[in-house]
Amino acid sequence: MRVMLVEDDPLLGEGVVEVLRRENITPEWLSEGEGVCEALANSAFDALILDVGLPDIDGFEVLKRLRGAQCQIPVLMLTARDGVEDRIRGLDGGCDDYLVKPFDSGELLARLRALVRRSAGRASPQVTHGLLSLDPAAHEVRLAGELVPLGRREHDLLAYLMTHPGQVFSRDQLVEVLYGWNAEVESNVIEVHVHHLRRKFGSRVVATVRHVGYRMGETG
C-alpha cells in the first residue's frame, strides 16, 4: 500500500510515518495542502490521510478541490476538532472516514485497510487470486493454503499487484510504490523482485507486458 500523509505537526507526522513504515506501507509526507492535488494527479496512491488544520489551506478545502477534480482516492481525515458539525462537514464533503486526535496507531491502520478494501469493492479482508491468498493485516501470503515466506519487498510487490488486478504498472511506478519518491535503488531492482516471485510461485505469477511493465499473472 502507498499512502499520502498531509500533516503539519512534525512530531505527529514523524510518528505516523514510522507506524506506516513498520506495516510495510510506503508513506509520502506533505506538510501543506496546496501541493496535494498536483501530487495525486502525477502519482498513484491507495489512500490519503488528511489533517484538517493545515497552515495554508485547511483540509476541507483540499478535500473540496480533490472531489471537484473527480479524484476518487479514499480519504481519512485527522482532526483535533471533535465537534459533530466538523465530522458531518468532512463526511458530507467527500471524506470516507474520520479520526479524532489523539488516536491509537492500531485503529489508524485498521481504518486504512478498511478504506482501501472498500474502495476496491471487497467486503472480505482477505485478497485471493487463483491459488494465492493474501492477509494484509498479518502480511502473509499463502499458496494453496501453505504459507510462503517472502522478503519485505517481494511481499509488497506481490500484494500491490494482487490488490490491483488487471492493471499494468511501469518499473518506475513500482519503484515509487515500494520505495517512495526520490529513492536511490539499483536499476534492476524490480526485475530482481519479479525473478524471486516467479521462482517461488511459478513463472506466470507476474506477467510482463512488453515495453510497458508488469501486471498480476496466473497461479496454478
Side-chain angles (χ1 to χ4, degrees), residues 42-63:
N42 293 322
S43 196
F45 289 87
D46 295 292
L48 169 64
I49 303 174
L50 177 62
D51 185 32
V52 169
L54 298 172
D56 50 354
I57 57 174
D58 67 23
F60 295 125
E61 178 61 24
V62 174
L63 184 64

Side-chain angles (χ1 to χ4, degrees), residues 2 5 17 19 25 28 30 69 84 125 137 152-153 155 163 166 175 186 202 211-212 214-216:
R2 187 175 184 221
L5 168 66
V17 165
V19 166
I25 297 172
E28 305 292 356
L30 298 178
V84 173
R152 174 185 171 182
R153 302 303 184 184
H155 171 276
T163 53
V175 166
E186 297 293 331
H211 304 312
V212 182
Y214 299 97
R215 62 171 174 80
M216 192 64 203

Side-chain angles (χ1 to χ4, degrees), residues 48 50 67 74-78 87 90-91 94-99 107-108 110-112 114-115 118:
L48 169 64
L50 177 62
R67 296 316 190 211
V75 177
L76 173 62
M77 295 195 81
L78 303 180
R87 294 200 295 273
L91 292 167
C95 86
D96 300 273
D97 203 353
Y98 226 108
L99 199 53
E107 182 179 5
L108 171 68
R111 287 178 181 271
L112 272 179
L115 282 183
R118 289 199 299 268

